[in-house]
Amino acid sequence: MDLISRIGQHFTDSAQTKLAAIEMLAAPIAQAAELMVACLVGNGKILACGNGGSAADAQHFAAELVGRFEMERQGLAAIALTTDSSIMTAVSNDYGYKLVFDKQVRALGQPGDVLLAISTSGNSENVVEAVHAAHDNDLRVVALTGKGGGEIGELLLDTDIHICVPSDRTARIQEVHALTVHCLCDGIDCLLLGVEE
């Protein structure tokens, strides 16, 4: 396959994965946006975590809330747990990377807050521990996963929301996660600002 055809196949595969996910994911994404708005209106905050590309998604989400997405509004309380290098290296050094998000959720999370836990496999050990910490501290969890949801999918409570991309391919899952982040940001803005269309 020549490079142009290969690139075209990536576009096609990405579009097909997204189209196949609409029916399955639209409702839980809407529920997650509603949950996050309830959290923010109640003076809560959203903590977000993930590794690698999922860390980038966590940071992207927090940036859009603290700054803005597409509409002007007051900044919203969101923290990416992937960004403080002193915390990340101290916890990793003293306790191991497994607890790098757990420690932050336990220190920063309050009842009524929301944890956005992102893992393409659903098996990232430090994200799994963050979910345990969230449950211990009465945070609700919105999980973005793929590949069937993995261990995180099994840990979620009835009060949590699971957005599991119907794909086993990491790149395709990450692409749907990026779109999901935009859908969440748009949904939050529309609900907060009373946008009808």
Side-chain angles (χ1 to χ4, degrees), residues 17-86:
T17 302
K18 289 171 182 168
L19 290 171
I22 292 171
E23 190 172 331
M24 182 183 297
L25 300 186
I29 292 171
Q31 293 167 353
E34 291 168 350
L35 171 64
M36 290 174 173
V37 166
C39 164
L40 294 164
V41 168
N43 291 319
K45 62 189 167 298
I46 303 169
L47 307 176
C49 66
N51 299 289
S54 298
D57 288 337
Q59 290 167 212
H60 182 176
F61 175 80
E64 301 286 22
L65 262 62
V66 172
R68 69 167 179 209
F69 181 53
E70 293 183 326
M71 302 178 210
E72 287 297 335
R73 54 149 168 76
Q74 181 178 349
L76 302 172
I79 302 169
L81 303 180
T82 56
T83 58
D84 190 318
S85 59
S86 293

Side-chain angles (χ1 to χ4, degrees), residues 182-195:
H182 284 165
C183 290
L184 289 171
C185 292
D186 179 69
I188 289 166
D189 283 358
C190 287
L191 290 168
L192 285 175
L193 300 174
V195 175

